Amino acid sequence: AAGTRFTKELVMTGRSVRPDEAVRHGLVTEVAEPEALMERALAFAALLATRAPLAVREAKRVIDGGVAQGLDAALTAEQAALGHLFETADGQEGISAFLDKRPARFTGA
């Protein structure tokens, strides 16, 4: 994420940010040429679709909350989320798939 000083500079000046600068400051994670944009977006969506949906949702929640609450609260929230996720069907599937050396089949349960 962009730091406070950089964010203040952009807000106060209204200046545009070059793609390489946006990547460097964490405003974006990747820059694509217009003709490759849809392909890159679909590839990213396809990758996310292979991940456990409950874990992705919890990760987003913990990260968003951690930014607002600070490190100690974020670590506590992470531990609670992991404990909950291990108790789900997807959690058990992930462990089984790892031990069986096979791709996981997540269902969102």
Side-chain angles (χ1 to χ4, degrees):
T4 304
R5 288 183 294 230
F6 183 69
T7 302
K8 285 180 182 178
E9 176 190 341
L10 294 182
V11 169
M12 290 188 263
T13 65
R15 78 173 176 85
S16 296
V17 179
R18 294 180 318 277
D20 63 317
E21 187 179 19
V23 171
R24 190 172 65 250
H25 285 285
L27 296 175
V28 299
T29 58
E30 181 179 350
V31 175
E33 294 296 327
E35 59 274 6
L37 182 58
M38 185 59 70
E39 177 185 342
R40 294 298 310 136
L42 291 173
F44 184 69
L47 173 63
L48 285 182
T50 67
R51 303 305 191 239
L54 295 176
V56 170
R57 184 177 66 218
E58 283 296 301
K60 288 170 52 177
R61 186 185 65 75
V62 169
I63 291 167
D64 289 344
V67 170
Q69 298 171 351
L71 182 59
D72 288 340
L75 291 173
T76 300
E78 178 187 30
Q79 289 173 338
L82 283 173
H84 166 71
L85 289 169
F86 279 125
E87 295 173 355
T88 66
D90 273 1
Q92 295 306 306
E93 168 60 15
I95 293 167
S96 294
F98 177 78
L99 293 174
D100 296 343
K101 296 181 176 31
R102 62 171 173 78
R105 295 178 294 273
F106 298 115
T107 63

